[in-house]
């Protein structure tokens, strides 16, 4: 779609108010080319010129798919190149612009379209579906002028992306799965989110361990959020929550929630619904199905698809006490490591959730071939190809007086060189998190150098781990030690590993293992079977 946005930007500069005086262009229906200064003046650099005349430009939503186009006599779409799929997006934007020109006149339409385009950018999700980008522009228009909303929706519907159209999966390699629609009226909604508050504490029911995990016998609350993706107000919409895993759970109101009236493009969140986990084994996954019953038989509402959500429950960890002022996580117990090093998504939203994972694949065996003794798995942070800023963070711990405070770990990274990077940061006595070097920490190897200036990079121009740490002997990875000396002794601290990615292109990521703290007096890590207090 970026190619399409780029083409449309150029078209807004190419088209002039006086073009209405061109013979046969009284409705701005003639052909307009993009990039004509390097290619054919009629076609420009695309397979067909931009035009609202479907005999000149027959492109429709379905033509974003790999090898599509034979039905309208154009060369097959190649998804490996962004140009063809982007051309179809630009065609829809051009249709929208021309519709506004014919309604408001050129200058007024130009201002309105620019405003809707910029507002749409702000509302567009990261790595958007075609339909999400469409909805962002429609929402901007709807908020300003419902007549313009109808004009722009009509433009999208003309090209197969009306209400009810289905876009390919977000990271599809061939953009298959398109379902076209020419509808301009539809009652429909999607499930946006199911949120759990495991730390609910009511007057009579609630948590007993307050560790962010629902344990056996505890009560938590769930909320369900939906988004109106149609053109009509939704009234009385309901969701039904049902446990599908083998767990004994009691839902308030038998798991049924009802939403308030929801306008188009608005999101509604249910009232909190209590549920109690009556019985569960240790460290199991509770699976809940969220379905949306019809309000009446054969009604015209297109309900959201049934989805399932999964939560880890009854984790039951205990604190691992330091031994000789030292504590270590070798990452061999995945659930414990993911509990100890909590993912914190600072930029990237839902798309960046899961940047942290446990790696137990052939890569780990390869790293072990260099003699690192990493066991069977490591922690892993993905170097995303979209703007994100994600950290994995320890809980607070006390630094002792038994010599120097040190943190050591093994790691291997392959991160987009000079554009993305990883850093280690520390907070002392609940102060701001800063790079460990700002608090006196010295590395035995250290960072590779600064990232370039880049406004889409949260840690631009900071020294980071970037590129890779393959040494001259072709060894992948190394042990790193950060020595703080004795300056922080007697203080309380929190540590985190932070990987920040800019708005385009990624690489593999950052593997971390055998994380060890020396000169600490309180637990940082957990072991299985009892409870662990996280503060």
């Amino acid at each position: 779609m970026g190619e399409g946005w780029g083409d449309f930007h150029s078209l807004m500069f190419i088209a002039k108010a006086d073009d209405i005086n061109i013979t046969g262009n009284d409705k701005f229906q003639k052909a307009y080319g993009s990039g004509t200064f390097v290619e054919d003046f009629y076609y420009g650099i695309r397979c067909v010129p931009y035009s609202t005349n479907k005999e000149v430009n027959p492109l429709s939503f379905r033509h974003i798919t790999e090898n599509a186009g034979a039905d309208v006599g154009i060369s097959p779409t190649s998804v490996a190149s962004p140009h063809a799929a982007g051309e179809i997006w630009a065609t829809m934007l051009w249709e929208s612009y021309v519709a506004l020109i014919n309604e408001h006149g050129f200058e007024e339409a130009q201002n309105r379209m620019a405003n809707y385009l910029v507002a749409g950018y702000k509302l567009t999700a990261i790595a958007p579906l075609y339909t999400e980008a469409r909805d962002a522009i429609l929402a901007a228009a709807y908020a300003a002028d419902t007549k313009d909303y109808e004009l722009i929706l009509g433009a999208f519907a003309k090209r197969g992306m009306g209400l009810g159209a289905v876009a390919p999966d977000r990271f599809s390699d061939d953009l298959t799965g398109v379902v076209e629609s020419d509808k301009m009226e539809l009652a429909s909604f999607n499930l946006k989110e199911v949120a759990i508050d495991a730390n609910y504490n009511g007057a009579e029911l609630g948590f007993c361990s307050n560790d962010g995990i629902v344990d056996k016998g505890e009560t938590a609350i769930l909320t369900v959020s939906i988004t109106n993706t149609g053109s009509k107000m939704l009234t009385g919409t309901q969701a039904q929550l049902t446990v599908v895993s083998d767990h004994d759970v009691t839902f308030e109101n038998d798991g049924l929630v009802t939403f308030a009236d929801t306008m188009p493009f608005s999101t509604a969140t249910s009232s909190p619904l209590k549920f109690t986990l009556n019985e569960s084994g240790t460290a199991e996954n509770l699976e809940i199905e969220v379905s949306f019953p019809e309000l009446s038989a054969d009604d015209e509402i297109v309900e959201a698809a049934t989805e399932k959500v999964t939560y880890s429950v009854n984790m039951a960890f205990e604190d691992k006490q330091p031994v000789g002022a030292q504590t270590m996580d070798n990452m061999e117990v995945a659930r414990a490591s993911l509990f100890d090093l909590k993912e914190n998504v600072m930029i990237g939203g839902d798309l960046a959730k899961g940047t942290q994972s446990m790696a137990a694949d052939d890569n780990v065996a390869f790293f072990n071939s260099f003699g690192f003794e990493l066991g069977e798995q490591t922690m892993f942070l993905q170097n995303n190809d979209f703007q994100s800023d994600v950290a994995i963070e320890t809980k607070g711990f006390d630094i002792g007086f038994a010599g120097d405070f040190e943190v050591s770990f093994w790691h291997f990274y392959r991160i987009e060189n000079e554009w993305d990077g990883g850093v280690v940061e520390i907070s002392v006595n609940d102060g701001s998190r800063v790079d460990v070097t700002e608090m006196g920490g010295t590395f035995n190897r250290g960072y590779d150098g600064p990232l370039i200036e880049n406004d889409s990079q949260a840690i631009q121009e900071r020294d980071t781990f970037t590129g890779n740490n393959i040494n001259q002997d072709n060894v992948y990875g190394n042990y790193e030690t950060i020595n703080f000396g004795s300056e922080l002794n007697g203080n309380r601290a929190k540590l985190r590993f932070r990987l920040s990615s800019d708005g385009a292109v990624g690489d593999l990521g950052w593997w971390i293992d055998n994380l060890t703290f020396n000169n600490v007096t309180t637990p940082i890590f957990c072991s299985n079977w009892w409870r662990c207090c996280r503060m």
Side-chain angles (χ1 to χ4, degrees):
M1 278 184 289
E3 285 287 330
W5 272 307
D7 270 17
F8 181 67
H9 288 180
S10 72
L11 291 170
M12 288 192 74
F13 286 105
I14 291 169
K16 304 297 183 184
D18 289 345
D19 291 352
I20 198 170
N21 298 320
I22 298 172
T23 302
N25 199 42
D26 59 312
K27 298 293 184 183
F28 280 78
Q29 68 269 40
K30 295 283 281 186
Y32 283 77
S34 177
T36 56
F37 57 94
V38 293
E39 287 289 346
D40 180 277
F41 190 78
Y42 179 76
Y43 288 97
I45 56 176
R46 304 305 178 209
C47 63
V48 293
Y50 291 108
S51 174
T52 58
N53 184 343
K54 295 189 78 171
E55 292 184 1
V56 174
N57 182 332
L59 295 175
S60 191
F61 189 24
R62 66 184 181 277
H63 295 125
I64 67 172
T65 301
E66 181 74 18
N67 292 323
D71 61 326
V72 293
I74 61 173
S75 57
T77 296
S78 172
V79 176
S81 165
H83 303 289
E87 184 176 354
I88 292 139
W89 175 245
T91 295
M92 297 176 186
L93 296 178
W94 179 249
E95 286 276 5
S96 302
Y97 186 31
V98 171
L100 294 177
I101 292 173
N102 291 328
E103 177 69 20
H104 300 292
F106 188 85
E107 290 186 1
E108 177 64 19
Q110 190 176 57
N111 288 332
R112 290 185 180 221
M113 189 67 197
N115 288 336
Y116 298 151
L117 192 66
V118 172
Y121 282 141
K122 295 178 181 180
L123 294 169
T124 300
I126 296 173
L129 303 177
Y130 278 78
T131 47
E132 289 175 339
R134 173 206 65 191
D135 287 348
I137 294 173
L138 288 175
Y142 189 90
D145 187 326
T146 55
K147 177 63 176 177
D148 285 356
Y149 157 80
E150 293 172 0
L151 291 170
I152 295 172
L153 176 55
F156 280 109
K158 177 180 175 181
R159 299 290 177 166
M161 201 156 64
L163 299 177
V166 178
D169 290 341
R170 194 174 307 279
F171 298 111
S172 172
D173 292 329
D174 54 13
L175 298 183
T176 56
V178 170
V179 177
E180 292 196 327
S181 169
D182 61 1
K183 292 182 179 179
M184 291 184 60
E185 291 191 3
L186 186 69
S188 63
F189 62 93
N190 289 335
L191 173 63
K192 180 181 181 182
E193 182 184 29
V194 180
I196 186 170
D197 180 2
N199 291 337
Y200 164 76
N201 189 20
E204 298 178 359
L205 298 171
F207 63 77
C208 55
S209 59
N210 192 20
D211 59 2
I213 301 292
V214 183
D215 294 314
K216 177 180 174 181
E218 293 185 338
T219 296
I221 56 175
L222 285 169
T223 54
V224 183
S225 299
I226 61 170
T227 299
N228 186 337
T229 57
S231 60
K232 301 179 180 180
M233 177 184 284
L234 300 173
T235 301
T237 308
Q238 295 182 324
Q240 178 66 56
L241 282 72
T242 307
V243 174
V244 293
S245 55
D246 187 22
H247 291 92
D248 182 1
V249 172
T250 301
F251 276 115
E252 181 182 26
N253 200 36
D254 294 326
L256 185 68
V257 296
T258 302
F259 301 92
D261 292 351
T262 313
M263 295 287 290
F265 302 106
S266 296
T267 295
T269 299
S270 70
S271 297
L273 182 77
K274 298 175 194 166
F275 75 96
T276 301
L277 181 63
N278 300 313
E279 190 63 54
S280 174
T282 300
E284 293 187 342
N285 287 328
L286 171 67
E287 190 172 24
I288 298 174
E289 181 181 85
V290 186
S291 59
F292 300 89
E294 281 191 307
L295 295 182
S296 58
D298 300 321
D299 61 32
E300 295 182 351
I301 300 174
V302 180
E303 287 83 8
T306 296
E307 295 189 32
K308 293 178 181 178
V309 292
T310 301
Y311 302 102
S312 296
V313 296
N314 205 32
M315 299 301 283
F317 295 118
E318 68 174 354
D319 285 328
K320 182 193 296 183
Q321 297 295 330
V323 177
Q326 181 184 89
T327 188
M328 174 187 179
D329 187 352
N330 61 10
M331 310 296 178
E332 292 303 292
V333 181
R335 290 185 185 275
S337 296
L338 293 171
F339 183 86
D340 294 331
L341 297 167
K342 293 287 190 184
E343 181 181 75
N344 177 12
V345 176
M346 296 169 286
I347 297 175
D350 290 343
L351 195 60
K353 291 179 179 178
T355 294
Q356 174 198 33
S357 64
M358 302 303 297
D361 53 19
D362 291 342
N363 286 320
V364 179
F366 175 70
F367 300 143
N368 277 325
S369 70
F370 298 103
F372 288 125
E373 298 183 359
L374 305 178
E376 297 183 358
Q377 65 185 7
T378 73
M379 184 74 72
F380 177 67
L381 298 178
Q382 175 74 38
N383 181 195
N384 296 318
D385 59 1
F386 54 89
Q387 188 175 7
S388 64
D389 189 11
V390 181
I392 54 171
E393 304 176 347
T394 72
K395 66 180 179 180
F397 57 89
D398 291 337
I399 303 170
F401 293 92
D404 290 351
F405 169 48
E406 286 187 343
V407 180
S408 63
F409 55 94
W410 173 90
H411 68 158
F412 172 70
Y413 52 88
R414 208 178 90 178
I415 302 170
E416 187 190 7
N417 192 33
E418 296 185 339
W419 293 88
D420 301 339
V423 294
V424 187
E425 296 181 329
I426 192 169
S427 166
V428 177
N429 298 328
D430 291 323
S432 300
R433 296 183 186 274
V434 298
D435 197 274
V436 290
T437 58
E438 294 185 35
M439 295 300 294
T442 58
F443 289 95
N444 66 310
R445 178 183 182 277
Y447 295 137
D448 299 284
L451 301 184
I452 65 169
E453 182 179 358
N454 176 5
D455 287 342
S456 71
Q457 173 53 257
I459 56 174
Q460 61 175 323
E461 301 183 278
R462 280 184 56 177
D463 284 338
T464 68
F465 296 118
T466 188
N468 65 69
N469 57 336
I470 305 172
N471 72 11
Q472 65 273 15
D473 296 322
N474 212 33
V475 174
Y476 284 58
N478 67 279
Y479 275 96
E480 193 75 67
T481 297
I482 310 169
N483 188 305
F484 293 87
S486 60
E487 294 301 315
L488 298 182
N489 288 4
N491 290 285
R492 188 163 179 80
K494 297 177 183 177
L495 193 88
R496 73 179 182 184
F497 295 82
R498 179 181 179 186
L499 178 56
S500 181
S501 303
D502 67 359
V505 186
D507 207 318
L508 297 181
W510 194 4
W511 288 260
I512 301 168
D513 206 346
N514 291 343
L515 176 58
T516 304
F517 291 77
N518 282 297
N519 189 22
V520 293
T521 60
T522 56
I524 302 174
F525 304 123
C526 297
S527 58
N528 266 329
W529 309 125
W530 297 100
R531 300 200 189 284
C532 180
C533 179
R534 185 177 181 87
M535 298 179 63

